[in-house]
Amino acid sequence: MDLQDQLKNLFPDHIPSNEPEAVEEKDHELYVQKEPMICKFEKRKGKPTTIISGYEGEDEDFKLLAKELKNKLAVGGTFKDGEIIIQGDYRDRIMKLLQEKGFKTKRVGG
């Protein structure tokens, strides 16, 4: 007994359709704010980190932005307490990526 027969036994009234359902994908728009995002450098536990803060939109949007930055830079990092923490000193590259997306950035520290 194959899968189709088993499904037919479980759901006798169901009529299967052979057409795949069209799933509409839409790009998620990030909220671009007027105030600049702060991009600063810190050493935490002796290791260099880049911290991005000052986003006024929703946390989910900021998490998506964090994921995209980590993927493009191929580095580790996290989203914590309204800040994106990236491992390493990538201020210049992060600021360039954010400016390409339409964000204003401000470099703080060193």
Side-chain angles (χ1 to χ4, degrees):
M1 191 180 275
D2 65 343
L3 182 63
Q4 294 297 329
D5 293 334
Q6 290 177 2
L7 288 173
K8 197 164 254 187
N9 287 338
L10 288 173
F11 305 103
D13 297 334
H14 178 71
I15 300 169
S17 65
N18 293 334
E19 297 177 19
E21 293 183 22
V23 177
E24 193 174 309
E25 291 184 25
K26 63 176 186 171
D27 290 336
H28 186 72
E29 291 289 324
L30 289 174
Y31 170 72
V32 179
Q33 62 197 26
K34 293 180 182 173
E35 295 296 317
M37 292 175 61
I38 306 298
C39 190
K40 61 185 172 182
F41 172 77
E42 280 186 15
K43 281 200 170 190
R44 292 190 174 184
K45 297 182 182 176
K47 299 190 178 183
T49 58
T50 304
I51 300 169
I52 301 131
S53 60
Y55 186 69
E56 297 171 353
E58 299 208 10
D59 281 349
E60 290 301 317
D61 291 344
F62 208 33
K63 285 180 186 179
L64 290 173
L65 183 62
K67 184 176 182 179
E68 185 177 336
L69 287 174
K70 291 188 302 182
N71 284 338
K72 286 193 176 185
L73 297 172
V75 296
T78 187
F79 174 81
K80 191 186 295 184
D81 298 329
E83 295 180 330
I84 299 173
I85 302 168
I86 303 287
Q87 297 173 352
D89 185 8
Y90 293 99
R91 284 178 291 183
D92 296 329
R93 291 174 63 188
I94 289 172
M95 288 173 61
K96 183 179 174 188
L97 288 170
L98 290 174
Q99 288 169 356
E100 287 173 1
K101 289 192 158 292
F103 290 101
K104 294 178 185 172
T105 57
K106 186 175 185 180
R107 184 180 176 134
V108 175

